[in-house]
Amino acid sequence: MWNRLDASNVQVGMLDDWLAQHDGVITRAQAGACGLSADAVDRLVRAGAWMKVHRGVYFVADRPFTTDARIRSAVWAAGTSAMLSGEAAAFWHGVISEPPSVIEVTGPRRGRSRAEGCRLRRRDVHSRDIIVRRGLRVTSLELSVLEAAVGKAHIMDRALQRHTDLERLKRAHARNPGRTGAQKAERLLKAAETGARSEGERLLVRELRARAVSGWVANYRWGGYELDIAFIVEMVAIEIDGWAFHTDHDAFQRDRTRQNALSQSWTVLRYTWLDLTERLEQVVAEIIATVNRIRCSQPR
């Protein structure tokens, strides 16, 4: 289509390559760099070959409008100094497989970034945490994880298992002080450093006491094992894990052996630190329901 509209200027191979490598998304300025005039862009839109997604951002109509295309369009619409950030950036880095419903884009505190199809944050990001990945400006993997984990802590655990390490996360955190969610990220980093198992136990004990739930003891010894929390009469054992990235193969096998032994006599409920920090209400409700069900079934 474009070579018929403006054959004298368009570098057809360059334009085709650009569209193939950038999810079918192109800005007016990028089209110009490929030799396409402003009038030719307008004719392509009128002919239905290109769709205007945002101001100055277009999508070629001969392919599906993918999640990557939606994200790329939103970032490019925000301006050349904008970058993808937060949970959407964690998705772009491949840390999580499900894209968020809201695309977060960050622009400099002083600049002309605008929000179209995204949530725009204005702040200054350390230069070491601004990178280009697949042709898109995006916060570094570590900063993306730190910011995404503020809303969904399991993202940090997943990143530590497969994508980065604690020291790199801590350095990115130190380079970008004062950002939204920095205090929670600090708590997550400290929890990850210690494994957080004991903190998870303290959270659950505090909640059980606050709700006046009775009949349990902490750190109960049975058959050579120490149960984190045990409802002795009902024989319900609560086991609490720390962060998954701390678990190596040997520890995993020991945990499975321990649980198999306990399960022969006890009803075992197992929770992670993330369960206790992100869905404590549901955890406590499940424990109470399990204990009550067993109490009702026991002979009087």
Side-chain angles (χ1 to χ4, degrees):
M1 176 69 78
W2 43 83
N3 54 328
R4 293 201 303 272
L5 290 169
D6 205 353
S8 60
N9 294 323
V10 178
Q11 301 178 46
V12 177
M14 178 185 296
L15 186 56
D16 286 340
D17 288 345
W18 175 274
L19 293 169
Q21 294 169 17
H22 298 87
D23 308 302
V25 180
I26 192 166
T27 67
R28 187 175 284 266
Q30 291 159 354
C34 292
L36 202 61
S37 70
D39 286 343
V41 171
D42 292 337
R43 290 198 297 275
L44 285 164
V45 173
R46 286 196 299 271
W50 286 14
M51 297 183 299
K52 183 179 179 181
V53 185
H54 302 295
R55 184 169 59 174
V57 182
Y58 305 90
F59 178 72
V60 182
D62 63 355
R63 66 199 72 196
F65 189 63
T66 63
T67 297
D68 285 0
R70 180 172 68 93
I71 290 173
R72 191 182 294 277
S73 299
V75 176
W76 283 351
T80 56
S81 59
M83 71 199 80
L84 188 65
S85 57
E87 192 177 344
F91 170 79
W92 197 260
H93 283 291
V95 177
I96 57 176
S97 57
E98 291 295 323
S101 57
V102 177
I103 299 169
E104 180 183 294
V105 175
T106 289
R109 197 178 301 277
R110 295 181 179 178
R112 297 183 178 179
S113 300
R114 57 185 181 271
E116 293 188 42
C118 69
R119 179 174 59 210
L120 179 65
R121 294 179 60 194
R122 292 193 180 278
R123 51 154 180 168
D124 296 323
V125 176
H126 193 282
S127 59
R128 290 186 61 182
D129 291 300
I130 304 173
I131 69 168
V132 176
R133 183 179 175 89
R134 291 191 283 132
L136 191 71
R137 279 166 56 92
V138 57
T139 51
S140 68
L141 186 149
E142 284 73 26
L143 182 56
S144 301
V145 166
L146 287 168
E147 295 187 330
V150 169
K152 297 181 179 178
H154 72 272
I155 292 175
M156 184 182 292
D157 197 30
R158 184 175 301 174
L160 286 166
Q161 291 177 57
R162 303 176 184 175
H163 300 276
T164 188
D165 59 52
L166 193 56
E167 286 307 310
R168 282 186 282 181
L169 286 177
K170 289 164 71 174
R171 287 196 292 270
H173 176 68
R175 285 194 297 266
N176 297 273
R179 66 189 188 278
T180 301
Q183 290 184 343
K184 182 171 181 181
E186 177 83 23
R187 292 195 297 271
L188 289 173
L189 288 169
K190 288 180 179 178
E193 193 165 34
T194 62
R197 181 172 175 272
S198 59
E199 183 181 344
E201 184 178 328
R202 286 194 295 272
L203 281 171
L204 183 54
V205 165
R206 186 163 61 242
E207 189 67 14
L208 292 174
R209 286 174 176 163
R211 292 170 178 252
V213 178
S214 61
W216 57 272
V217 295
N219 305 317
Y220 179 71
R221 296 199 65 84
W222 180 87
Y225 299 105
E226 184 176 281
L227 312 185
D228 294 330
I229 294 174
F231 289 81
I232 302 172
V233 175
E234 297 80 9
M235 297 197 76
V236 174
I238 315 299
E239 293 286 272
I240 300 168
D241 298 325
W243 288 65
F245 87 94
H246 279 286
T247 304
D248 57 25
H249 175 76
D250 290 342
F252 178 86
Q253 188 57 51
R254 286 195 301 272
D255 283 345
R256 299 290 80 74
T257 301
R258 168 194 177 95
Q259 182 152 335
N260 289 341
L262 289 174
S263 297
Q264 295 178 30
S265 303
W266 293 75
T267 298
V268 180
L269 299 178
R270 193 177 198 107
Y271 301 105
T272 66
W273 179 83
L274 294 172
D275 289 327
L276 296 167
T277 55
E278 292 193 343
R279 57 180 203 95
L280 183 58
E281 288 282 332
Q282 297 96 309
V283 167
V284 173
E286 183 175 272
I287 292 171
I288 292 173
T290 301
V291 171
N292 286 340
R293 174 175 53 80
I294 294 174
R295 283 175 179 169
C296 290
S297 66
Q298 290 176 332
R300 297 183 179 277

